[in-house]
Amino acid sequence: MYVMTTANAPLPVFAPAPVWARRAAHAIALCAVPSGLWRIAMASGVYVGYSEQVLRDVFDIPGWGIAYVVGLSVLAEVAALFPLLLVSDRWQPLRPRALATLAWTASGVLVLVALWQLVVAFTVESQTYMSSDTALTVWWLAFAPLFAIPALMTAVTWSYAKRHRAWGQA
């Protein structure tokens, strides 16, 4: 006699993520790359537009600032890989609603961080550290893709929540 328990119950099968959601999740991971490379270049001693005094006084480079900048780059890229879990067919979370809540929270935080970064980017003080307009343009090109992440993350999260909510109502 076979008795079904929670230990041997089949996992629910969810609808696959739409192609646009998969592409958006991959785009999020790619959006974090230019700024990470820019930071790593700065930590490696490549001239990125800051004087040596600014690097030393503001960013503590050389020094602990190198670990901070490289660590921030690694952390940002790892975080940018999180949306891939939301579109994966191979990985099934034990608590899809908890993951959806986490993803919605992350989306909200990303929107707030993006707004804050716009405020910081347009302040006079943040622009005076750069030594040339060319360096500032390169900085903008490296960091501009980050502003697409909140919208992409919200779209991927919406897709995930919609697919898992539809299963819960069936």
Side-chain angles (χ1 to χ4, degrees):
M1 178 167 141
Y2 181 76
V3 177
M4 186 177 292
T5 65
T6 56
N8 61 8
L11 290 174
V13 178
F14 300 108
V19 173
W20 66 263
R22 290 178 188 276
R23 288 182 180 158
H26 284 85
I28 291 170
L30 292 175
C31 284
V33 171
S35 61
L37 292 175
W38 186 90
R39 282 190 212 101
I40 289 171
M42 181 175 77
S44 300
V46 174
Y47 177 72
V48 294
Y50 293 128
S51 68
E52 288 193 28
Q53 181 181 356
V54 169
L55 287 173
R56 191 175 43 259
D57 296 345
V58 176
F59 297 104
D60 197 22
I61 295 175
W64 284 101
I66 293 173
Y68 170 74
V69 168
V70 171
L72 181 61
S73 297
V74 170
L75 181 64
E77 192 58 45
V78 168
L81 295 173
F82 168 71
L84 294 174
L85 294 176
L86 300 176
V87 297
S88 174
D89 292 333
R90 295 181 185 172
W91 180 76
Q92 294 292 328
L94 296 176
R95 296 179 153 186
R97 288 181 194 228
L99 185 60
T101 301
L102 177 64
W104 281 120
T105 303
S107 293
V109 168
L110 286 169
V111 168
L112 293 174
V113 168
L115 291 172
W116 175 249
Q117 288 304 310
L118 281 174
V119 168
V120 170
F122 285 111
T123 62
V124 175
E125 182 180 338
S126 68
Q127 293 180 12
T128 58
Y129 288 142
M130 287 289 173
S131 59
S132 71
D133 288 339
T134 303
L136 187 59
T137 301
V138 170
W139 182 87
W140 272 107
L141 290 173
F143 283 84
L146 293 178
F147 292 107
I149 291 177
L152 292 168
M153 181 65 185
T154 301
V156 170
T157 301
W158 176 80
S159 172
Y160 177 83
K162 181 181 173 190
R163 286 183 292 116
H164 287 79
R165 186 177 11 190
W167 175 81
Q169 293 174 352

